[in-house]
Amino acid sequence: MLKLSLRNVVVGALLVSLVLLPIYAQLAHDRFMLTLFTRILILGMAAVSLNLILGFGGMMSFGHAAYLGIGGYAVGMLAHEHIYSGFIQWPVAILASALFALVIGALSLRTRGVYFIMITLAFAQMAYYIVSGISRYGGDDGLTIYKRSEFIAPLNLSDKTQFYYVCLALLYGSIYLTWRLINSRFGMAIQGARSNALRMRAIGFPTYRYRLVAFVISGTLCGLAGALLANHTDFVSPAMMYWTRSGDLIIMVVLGGMGSAAGPLVGAVALLLLEETLSGITEYWQIILGPLLLLVVLFARGGIDGMLNTLGAKLRTKVRA
Amino acid sequence: MSEPFSDKAMLQVDNLAKRFGGIVATDDLSLTVAPGELHAIIGPNGAGKTTLIAQLSGQLKPDSGRIHFGGADITALSMHKRSALGLARSFQITSLFLDLSALDNAALAVQAHAGHSFHFWRDARGEAELRDPARAAITRVGLANRADEPASSLSHGEHRLLELAMALSGKPRMLLLDEPMAGLGPDESARMVEMLRALKQEYTILLVEHDMEAVFALADRITVLVYGRVIASGRPDEIRANEQVREAYLGEAEVEGGPHV
């Protein structure tokens, strides 16, 4: 099924490198690297979840960070009430974000284009202000989590390497899930609705329900990423769901490439590493990042993923010639 | 008001009306299409032909009147439900899934009628249940060698054929074809006429078409619309001989140097 192409080789190499990374970090005594990459994995998972609706479903959700926040706060609030079991925290995070996605999706999917973008943004900002206002859980200042989610021994999320691998497994699971979904009948239906919604209805598809289910799956996965993020930072705050965070997720998807299940992970790695290196060079790193993103959008329509595809095709014709 | 439903009709339209502001697009329109018949709708530009197709397919809701299909009142049904009953529509302006392959386009049309699409795991492109009928439809219209190309890379003529393949993929009982010949060259047109002649043996067809030569060659019955109103309906020879039609439509066409009879 999978072809040997430049793109697949690069993505494959990335996936393998991420598995080996903790070993390297251990050998190089680079603890920071593990922390940085755990963050990349978690936000990568959020971007992968966004791509299911943005890239494949054509639904430009500008409020995806809300699910990060909801998943994160589910963990934070329960921990604050001394409920530490991950078997309670994580299902609550998943259910809460699924429910939120169902309500938001049911309302916003009746609109299209700019209206859809604005409605998803508005709901996310609403969630942001609601959380900012709950003083019991820290309000604006956020909430420190003193104990990470507890599972059965020997699984211990406070162990950085173990936590890294939990994040990695869930990320790869999300990519695999997305890949299965987009190639299934369900995936064909949502891609058809992206491509030509009128025609979909004319040939007999009730598109709304498929788009809604995709929206809920996407929000739920992102909520799970939120639960991971809360455990990673040992802290939740309204900033987790601020609209600029939603923007970051969109950038990861566009930068990495919307055309493949793993593209957003490539985007997350590229964006966060760029951010990390550039901010080490200058305080005004965004002045460099901005034009770089512009170049990608202008000259590489399919993001890094698309760039690799074009490059691979060129190499192939050269080899043949 | 409306006439009793005739059980001989595949499609029966009674007193259909549709206005857009002050413009009357469909004016007390009634028409009957018998099973197995190829019924052509002709009329000058702005006669309301596409508006009629849109109301029959469910894209537009009529202001009043009733539509029966295969004995059932479908006036209030949504587009996808009408399609599920076997009423397939092709579009005047090509409306495809351009970023999917030609075969994927047809396979989606098959999938639309293969139960619900809440199948999340199995590879849809590997399902014979979807691919085989899609491939048959693609082959039927002569696009077999282009099946795996993205629809965006097909020519205009091939797009028209793919439109037709998609309409066929849903195992329809009746085809609503909105100007399948639009924009085709003479050779492609001839090919399309042959295709429709063959399809006519199997399907009931409502054909909206500007190409008069094709219409008079194919149609069992012709209905002439002017300003949303039926001015004549009958066999091709009757229409050809009809004074009113000559005045209202064919005469005008001759003046424009347009389609000839």
Side-chain angles (χ1 to χ4, degrees), chain B residues 84-114:
Chain B
L85 285 177
L87 193 57
R89 173 194 182 175
S90 83
F91 284 75
Q92 177 187 4
I93 297 160
T94 300
S95 173
L96 299 164
F97 307 107
L98 290 176
D99 44 1
L100 301 179
S101 77
L103 187 58
D104 282 347
N105 270 268
L108 261 175
V110 178
Q111 189 184 324
H113 297 268

Side-chain angles (χ1 to χ4, degrees), chain A:
Chain A
M1 191 69 217
L2 275 175
K3 280 185 300 192
L4 189 71
S5 67
L6 180 67
R7 188 264 298 259
N8 288 343
V9 169
V10 170
V11 171
L14 176 67
L15 295 182
V16 172
S17 311
L18 287 174
V19 174
L20 300 176
L21 186 112
I23 301 170
Y24 172 79
Q26 192 105 48
L27 293 173
H29 298 289
D30 192 344
R31 288 182 57 116
F32 174 70
M33 188 181 208
L34 198 60
T35 308
L36 171 66
F37 269 87
T38 306
R39 185 182 159 75
I40 290 178
L41 296 184
I42 294 169
L43 291 178
M45 180 170 163
V48 165
S49 77
L50 173 61
N51 190 36
L52 176 63
I53 56 169
L54 177 58
F56 294 103
M59 295 169 247
M60 174 76 185
S61 164
F62 203 167
H64 224 58
Y67 307 103
L68 275 181
I70 288 166
Y73 265 92
V75 170
M77 287 176 177
L78 287 170
H80 191 72
E81 307 297 346
H82 306 289
I83 299 166
Y84 300 111
S85 168
F87 294 114
I88 297 173
Q89 287 182 351
W90 291 25
V92 169
I94 286 171
L95 282 176
S97 29
L99 200 66
F100 189 72
L102 183 66
V103 174
I104 307 307
L107 295 170
S108 59
L109 285 173
R110 299 189 180 278
T111 66
R112 294 218 156 228
V114 176
Y115 300 100
F116 180 80
I117 299 173
M118 294 315 285
I119 287 184
T120 50
L121 173 63
F123 276 115
Q125 286 299 90
M126 222 159 76
Y128 169 83
Y129 285 112
I130 287 171
V131 169
S132 302
I134 308 178
S135 53
R136 178 177 173 82
Y137 299 112
D140 263 341
D141 300 327
L143 188 63
T144 302
I145 298 169
Y146 294 100
K147 243 185 189 173
R148 287 192 174 179
S149 305
E150 286 173 345
F151 287 93
I152 304 168
L155 187 61
N156 176 11
L157 298 191
S158 298
D159 179 305
K160 292 213 154 144
T161 308
Q162 279 201 29
F163 184 58
Y164 178 91
Y165 279 115
V166 168
C167 295
L168 189 77
L170 288 173
L171 167 69
Y172 285 7
S174 314
I175 293 175
Y176 182 65
L177 176 72
T178 307
W179 187 67
R180 294 303 301 228
L181 283 179
I182 56 174
N183 289 305
S184 70
R185 286 191 187 193
F186 173 75
M188 295 305 291
I190 63 166
Q191 289 174 81
R194 171 201 64 199
S195 181
N196 191 338
L198 173 63
R199 189 55 192 259
M200 280 299 274
R201 276 180 283 133
I203 60 178
F205 276 104
T207 52
Y208 177 76
R209 59 186 76 158
Y210 298 115
R211 287 156 58 85
L212 181 59
V213 169
F215 195 86
V216 171
I217 294 174
S218 168
T220 309
L221 272 180
C222 195
L224 184 57
L228 292 175
L229 193 59
N231 276 290
H232 178 57
T233 51
D234 301 309
F235 178 72
V236 286
S237 79
M240 276 176 97
M241 50 176 103
Y242 198 55
W243 66 274
T244 53
R245 173 59 63 77
S246 297
D248 287 342
L249 294 178
I250 293 174
I251 292 173
M252 288 173 197
V253 171
V254 173
L255 181 66
M258 299 191 274
S260 81
L265 170 62
V266 178
V269 172
L271 181 72
L272 295 173
L273 284 185
L274 263 177
E275 225 178 81
E276 200 54 43
T277 12
L278 292 179
S279 62
I281 298 169
T282 162
E283 199 180 327
Y284 307 107
W285 55 274
Q286 281 168 325
I287 291 181
I288 307 172
L289 184 66
L292 266 179
L293 291 177
L294 216 72
L295 286 177
V296 169
V297 173
L298 283 177
F299 295 109
R301 275 293 162 82
I304 298 172
D305 187 77
M307 223 147 51
L308 289 171
N309 266 338
T310 332
L311 204 67
K314 270 186 194 158
L315 280 178
R316 200 166 297 174
T317 43
K318 228 175 219 175
V319 168
R320 257 187 227 148

Side-chain angles (χ1 to χ4, degrees), chain B residues 98-219:
Chain B
L98 290 176
D99 44 1
L100 301 179
S101 77
L103 187 58
D104 282 347
N105 270 268
L108 261 175
V110 178
Q111 189 184 324
H113 297 268
H116 66 75
S117 286
F118 289 113
H119 297 276
F120 299 99
W121 212 246
R122 211 161 84 192
D123 183 12
R125 290 192 180 86
E127 288 190 52
E129 189 197 337
L130 302 178
R131 299 310 259 194
D132 291 352
R135 205 173 279 282
I138 290 270
T139 307
R140 172 100 204 235
V141 301
L143 287 178
N145 57 337
R146 307 282 274 155
D148 296 318
E149 304 284 326
S152 57
S153 72
L154 269 53
S155 73
H156 175 76
E158 289 170 329
H159 278 163
R160 306 304 306 169
L161 292 169
L162 184 53
E163 271 290 333
L164 199 56
M166 288 182 70
L168 296 177
S169 293
K171 288 203 203 107
R173 293 155 69 197
M174 179 171 179
L175 300 171
L176 302 173
L177 305 180
D178 196 357
E179 296 199 27
M181 244 87 64
L184 293 188
D187 289 353
E188 291 171 322
S189 276
R191 198 169 148 202
M192 185 64 87
V193 169
E194 283 321 302
M195 189 82 65
L196 295 180
R197 205 189 297 279
L199 291 176
K200 196 181 142 172
Q201 310 302 319
E202 291 167 53
Y203 301 97
T204 307
I205 298 175
L206 186 78
L207 171 72
V208 167
E209 186 50 60
H210 267 300
D211 185 330
M212 288 304 129
E213 227 171 306
V215 165
F216 280 91
L218 290 167

